[in-house]
Amino acid sequence: MPAGARCEFAVRVEPIVDEVRKLTIETYPDGAPKRELFTGALINRVTNLETGATSTADASGTALVVYRTDGSMTWYVTGPVLLGFRENAGTLPKGLWIVGGRFRVEFSPTYDKTITMLHGTTHNVCTDVD
């Protein structure tokens, strides 16, 4: 991602462990997924492309994802998961956030995100590689 998109510097996020499994629970009549369950180990390497600093981010949560026909979706999560936020595009400031605990994420059709925490924590991974 270019500088300013999520962090103030250019950053790359790449999985170093990806054992995520997906189960489609329900589909729409056209076969598109309506509800899916995701779970499994997901560890990402986050790299500051300007300095070379790296950090790992554990995003090995479990989520039930409900897709709507308008392009919006809701995630019901037991975290942690890694979520990127653009400037003024959700309930957290711009950044790459590890969100842990139990929470719901509402995605608009343009991917603005609204997090409703039941309990948990947030941490901006940009600060780990700054």
Side-chain angles (χ1 to χ4, degrees):
M1 288 172 263
R6 299 297 181 274
C7 304
E8 294 305 317
F9 42 84
V11 65
R12 179 177 56 233
V13 178
E14 58 191 332
I16 53 177
V17 174
D18 185 349
E19 298 174 357
V20 175
R21 297 174 313 281
K22 173 181 78 172
L23 174 64
T24 301
I25 299 168
E26 185 179 4
T27 59
Y28 286 101
D30 68 357
K34 184 173 185 180
R35 293 188 312 144
E36 293 182 318
L37 183 63
F38 294 84
T39 192
L42 180 59
I43 309 296
N44 292 297
R45 177 181 297 118
V46 179
T47 304
N48 178 328
L49 296 177
E50 297 172 12
T51 67
T54 65
S55 181
T56 56
D58 182 354
S60 302
T62 297
L64 171 65
V65 179
V66 178
Y67 304 94
R68 290 189 237 359
T69 56
D70 67 356
S72 65
M73 66 181 138
T74 302
W75 293 9
Y76 299 92
V77 182
T78 300
V81 296
L82 181 64
L83 295 168
F85 280 80
R86 300 180 319 269
E87 190 74 42
N88 300 315
T91 52
L92 289 174
K94 177 177 70 175
L96 289 171
W97 294 88
I98 287 290
V99 183
R102 296 195 58 210
F103 55 96
R104 181 180 69 232
V105 186
E106 296 282 345
F107 290 77
S108 76
T110 59
Y111 294 100
D112 290 356
K113 300 171 191 76
T114 301
I115 296 178
T116 303
M117 298 291 287
L118 297 175
H119 62 83
T121 60
T122 59
H123 174 71
N124 191 348
V125 178
C126 295
T127 63
D128 296 341
V129 293
D130 190 8

